[in-house]
Amino acid sequence: MPASSPSPSRRALLTALPALALAGPALAAPPKRMTAYKTPWCGCCGGWIAHMRQAGWTVEVVEREDLAPIRAQHGVPDRLASCHTAVVGAYAIEGHVPAGDVDRLLSERPAARALSAPGMPAGSPGMEAAGREPYTTVLILNDGSTRVFGRHNGA
């Protein structure tokens, strides 16, 4: 019995497969990488970094004695400061922001400069041993104004 030639749709698929294989890596999500700046003596920062790594982030840690210049460079005002500052793309992540909020920030890409969990809220990632209190994450917009981005622990 003579072999039949592939149908036009099958032929198109066979022709496209090598191109799809080459395009695969380009279509994949970009790697989740950030740089976290922390002081050498802060223990809770390590808990937050572990939380981010468990959520699939690659975190480069840079220890600095003074984080004020990093916060100033990224437009994070003192009133919204915490104990560490991470940088991912064009955004600063200030303090104990949950990984889900960081993922959402990068998905939505708002016109903002930073996302902050001001202070060191009990029950936030890295601060679980301190108990549990309601807290919000705050988006710092490019014009310096703020809005609530996320509510956590019943806030």
Side-chain angles (χ1 to χ4, degrees):
M1 186 187 235
S4 62
S5 64
S7 68
S9 60
R10 185 171 178 205
R11 193 174 315 119
L13 177 63
L14 292 172
T15 303
L17 281 176
L20 289 173
L22 291 174
L27 298 176
K32 293 168 55 169
R33 299 182 184 278
M34 67 172 56
T35 301
Y37 298 89
K38 66 182 263 330
T39 59
W41 50 84
C42 185
C44 64
C45 298
W48 180 80
I49 291 164
H51 165 78
M52 295 306 293
R53 287 177 173 159
Q54 288 171 347
W57 286 86
T58 299
V59 183
E60 177 189 355
V61 178
V62 177
E63 291 189 345
R64 298 268 171 95
E65 295 281 326
D66 182 11
L67 300 181
I70 300 292
R71 284 193 292 270
Q73 176 184 351
H74 293 281
V76 177
D78 289 342
R79 66 183 169 73
L80 299 176
S82 185
C83 56
H84 57 270
T85 305
V87 177
V88 56
Y91 298 108
I93 309 299
E94 183 66 23
H96 296 268
V97 174
D101 282 9
V102 177
D103 291 337
R104 182 178 145 215
L105 175 75
L106 295 177
S107 171
E108 294 178 4
R109 300 252 180 225
R113 57 175 86 148
L115 184 58
S116 175
M120 297 167 64
S124 61
M127 293 293 296
E128 295 88 354
R132 188 175 162 94
E133 67 180 339
Y135 72 98
T136 59
T137 52
V138 179
L139 189 65
I140 305 168
L141 302 173
N142 286 336
D143 67 3
S145 65
T146 61
R147 71 172 170 86
V148 172
F149 187 79
R151 297 181 186 280
H152 304 280
N153 297 344

